[in-house]
Amino acid sequence: MKTKHILLPTDFSANARNAIDYAIYLFEKVECKFHILNAFQVSPSGLESTRSKAKDTRLFRAIKEESERSIKRLVKELESKNENPLHSFEGLSIADSLVNAIGRTSIDNNIYYIFMGTKGSSAIKEVFMGSNTIKVLQKIDFCPIMAVPGDYDFKLPDKIVFATNFEHIYFKAELNPLTKIAKVWNSEISVVHVDKGKGLSKQQETSKNLLAQLLYGLNFKFVEVEGHARISEAIMSYAAENENIGMIAMINYWHSFFEKLTKENVIKRVAFHTEVPFLIFPLID
């Protein structure tokens, strides 16, 4: 199997470390190179001239050196604790915004997944994880992202909830971020549709049938969920009420059928409130 390149952004908080440890755990059977990234800025301005001036300051050099030391220390610790011969680690310290650093690194290193915590350290003014995770979800729409709750206690993803409204005709390659994980752990995929009482249109029925063909050979089932005012609540309630569900998955298109029907930003709500890891993978136009 080809080496998977996994990007692990960190602010060195406990929540970021939990996301890192979960990624290592989830891919223990897969040959991976983990890229540990710390992005830092002195000036919040996006102007190139301002950033150039900031790099000439004593403050910038101090922050840069601290970032590089902390990354080196973290990589050394991960290497010493992880004896898996399938895994290797690389540390990256980049002077840029989080979104820009993740975008550049993802493209340059052919990143297959990005893992981020959903909550961050309260000891810093701007919480790295949480609101910034949402920014990354909005801007990085070309790479699968796994949002990991800060207090998540690792469990095998025996069952994965894949939430969809059958509005989109899926491609096999589009589903790879989901199906690859399901194959590694022999996970059951519960394809969850939230029933709003209108039934499926012909287009939705077609999409559902094609999805069944793409999932052929995997352990999957279709599930209808009713009785919730919010789509996000229906998805999370189903995950909470059923045993051994270790992940929720959804395709990342922000102005989706969910928002059109309910005026609800489902991805944002699930990312903030989920109690299990949340996989968001990109739409292929």
Side-chain angles (χ1 to χ4, degrees):
M1 183 182 290
K2 188 177 179 181
T3 301
K4 291 282 187 295
H5 291 264
I6 313 293
L7 180 59
L8 307 173
T10 183
D11 63 345
F12 309 111
S13 68
N15 293 286
R17 177 57 186 267
N18 195 57
I20 291 172
D21 290 341
Y22 176 69
I24 294 169
Y25 169 83
L26 186 65
F27 289 102
E28 67 179 21
K29 298 179 181 180
V30 181
E31 185 174 344
C32 294
K33 182 171 184 178
F34 296 101
H35 303 261
I36 318 296
L37 167 67
N38 177 244
F40 64 92
Q41 283 183 299
V42 174
S43 170
S45 172
L47 296 176
E48 191 64 42
S49 58
T50 305
R51 289 206 302 265
S52 296
K53 291 178 182 177
K55 290 182 180 180
D56 292 331
T57 66
R58 185 179 300 174
L59 176 60
F60 173 84
R61 291 192 294 272
I63 293 174
K64 180 175 183 290
E65 289 171 5
E66 177 59 27
S67 172
E68 290 172 346
R69 277 197 303 269
S70 297
I71 280 288
K72 187 176 180 179
R73 188 184 309 123
L74 177 56
V75 168
K76 186 175 181 179
E77 181 184 342
L78 292 170
E79 288 175 338
S80 66
K81 289 186 175 182
N82 183 11
E83 298 179 353
N84 190 334
L86 295 175
H87 292 174
S88 62
F89 300 87
E90 177 188 37
L92 298 166
S93 178
I94 297 179
D96 207 339
S97 70
L98 176 63
V99 170
N100 286 349
I102 288 176
R104 286 165 47 197
T105 305
S106 298
I107 293 169
D108 291 347
N109 294 279
N110 194 28
I111 296 297
Y112 199 78
Y113 293 95
I114 301 166
F115 280 70
M116 297 186 70
T118 55
K119 296 176 184 176
S121 171
S122 58
I124 53 177
K125 289 183 179 179
E126 181 181 356
V127 178
F128 176 87
M129 302 298 183
S131 61
N132 278 335
T133 299
I134 296 301
K135 290 179 185 177
V136 172
L137 289 176
Q138 289 175 316
K139 300 295 184 182
I140 308 298
D141 59 359
F142 53 86
C143 186
I145 299 171
M146 187 81 75
V148 183
D151 57 355
Y152 184 66
D153 187 15
F154 304 159
K155 298 173 185 175
L156 295 180
D158 293 333
K159 297 180 181 179
I160 300 173
V161 169
F162 175 36
T164 180
N165 200 37
F166 305 120
E167 291 281 352
H168 174 65
I169 302 295
Y170 293 98
F171 299 93
K172 186 174 183 179
E174 204 166 39
L175 295 173
N176 276 345
L178 168 64
T179 57
K180 295 288 187 185
I181 292 174
K183 288 177 181 177
V184 167
W185 294 109
N186 194 29
S187 308
E188 177 186 88
I189 300 174
S190 296
V191 182
V192 172
H193 171 252
V194 180
D195 184 5
K196 304 299 288 185
K198 297 182 179 179
L200 298 181
S201 67
K202 288 184 178 180
Q203 178 182 330
Q204 287 174 305
E205 288 285 3
T206 298
S207 175
K208 182 178 179 179
N209 292 334
L210 290 172
L211 180 58
Q213 294 177 30
L214 293 175
L215 295 177
Y216 178 78
L218 295 172
N219 185 10
F220 75 96
K221 64 179 180 180
F222 290 110
V223 178
E224 292 289 331
V225 178
E226 303 175 352
H228 292 269
R230 290 180 179 270
I231 301 287
S232 58
E233 289 174 359
I235 296 167
M236 288 185 287
S237 292
Y238 178 83
E241 293 167 5
N242 289 270
E243 292 184 2
N244 300 325
I245 288 179
M247 191 178 296
I248 297 173
M250 194 181 300
I251 198 162
N252 189 5
Y253 48 130
W254 283 77
H255 302 293
S256 66
F257 53 85
F258 289 133
E259 291 185 55
K260 291 175 184 175
L261 290 175
T262 66
K263 306 299 181 185
E264 177 191 359
N265 193 321
V266 176
I267 288 177
K268 183 175 181 179
R269 285 186 60 81
V270 174
F272 269 127
H273 300 291
T274 181
E275 295 181 0
V276 298
F278 180 31
L279 172 63
I280 307 97
F281 53 95
L283 176 77
I284 298 178
D285 293 322

